[in-house]
Amino acid sequence: MVAKRRWIYFFLILLNIPLGLATRWAPQYFPDIIRIYGGDVLSATCIFFGIRFLFPVTPLWKIGISNYVVCLLIEIQQLYQAEWAVKFRNTPAGILLGHGFLWSDCVCYAAGTLLALAIAWLAERII
C-alpha cells in the first residue's frame, strides 16, 4: 500500500511540474486568473505531493498543515533582502524561493493546499 501511494504521488508530481511551468513559460495559452495565480497554486500542490511522497502514511490533514506552513515560510523568507540572498534567488536553485512577498501568494498557497488535499483524498479512496 505504501509503495502504491508513493507511485501515485510520484506520478502527480510529474504531471504537476510541466503544468506549473507552462503557466510561467506559455502564459498566452491560459486565462488571466490562471496566468496570474496558477503557478503559485500549482507550486503548493507540488510541494504537498512531495511531502506526501516522503510521508505516505501520515494523516492527510497533517500533510496539509505542514504544506501550508512550508509555503508560508518560503513566502516570508522573501522579505529578507540581503544582497547575498537576492543573488541566490537569481540562481537556478534559488528560483524556487521566489522574488518578493505577496499576500496574494499566501491565498494561492491555501487554495493549492486545499486542491491537493482533495486530489489526495480522492486518489487514496480509489486505490
Side-chain angles (χ1 to χ4, degrees):
M1 175 91 139
V2 170
K4 192 182 263 189
R5 277 190 184 171
R6 283 203 166 118
W7 277 110
I8 287 171
Y9 289 103
F10 180 73
F11 178 71
L12 287 170
I13 291 167
L14 290 180
L15 285 177
N16 194 320
I17 290 172
L19 187 57
L21 291 174
T23 65
R24 302 290 191 218
W25 292 345
Q28 67 273 19
Y29 299 113
F30 296 95
D32 284 345
I33 193 158
I34 294 174
R35 181 182 51 78
I36 296 168
Y37 303 113
D40 294 316
V41 170
L42 291 169
S43 292
T45 60
C46 196
I47 293 168
F48 181 99
F49 297 148
I51 294 171
R52 189 61 172 169
F53 177 84
L54 295 173
F55 303 101
V57 294
T58 302
L60 282 175
W61 67 271
K62 287 183 180 180
I63 300 294
I65 290 171
S66 300
N67 182 68
Y68 191 62
V69 168
V70 167
C71 290
L72 287 179
L73 290 173
I74 290 170
E75 191 66 21
I76 289 168
Q77 66 79 30
Q78 294 174 21
L79 292 169
Y80 184 67
Q81 293 295 315
E83 185 179 339
W84 70 268
V86 173
K87 283 182 181 178
F88 177 72
R89 288 185 197 117
N90 289 322
T91 66
I95 198 76
L96 298 173
L97 300 177
H99 292 281
F101 180 87
L102 293 172
W103 285 105
S104 62
D105 288 352
C106 298
V107 176
C108 290
Y109 298 146
T113 299
L114 292 174
L115 176 63
L117 266 169
I119 292 169
W121 186 83
L122 285 172
E124 292 183 16
R125 295 301 168 266
I126 291 170
I127 61 166

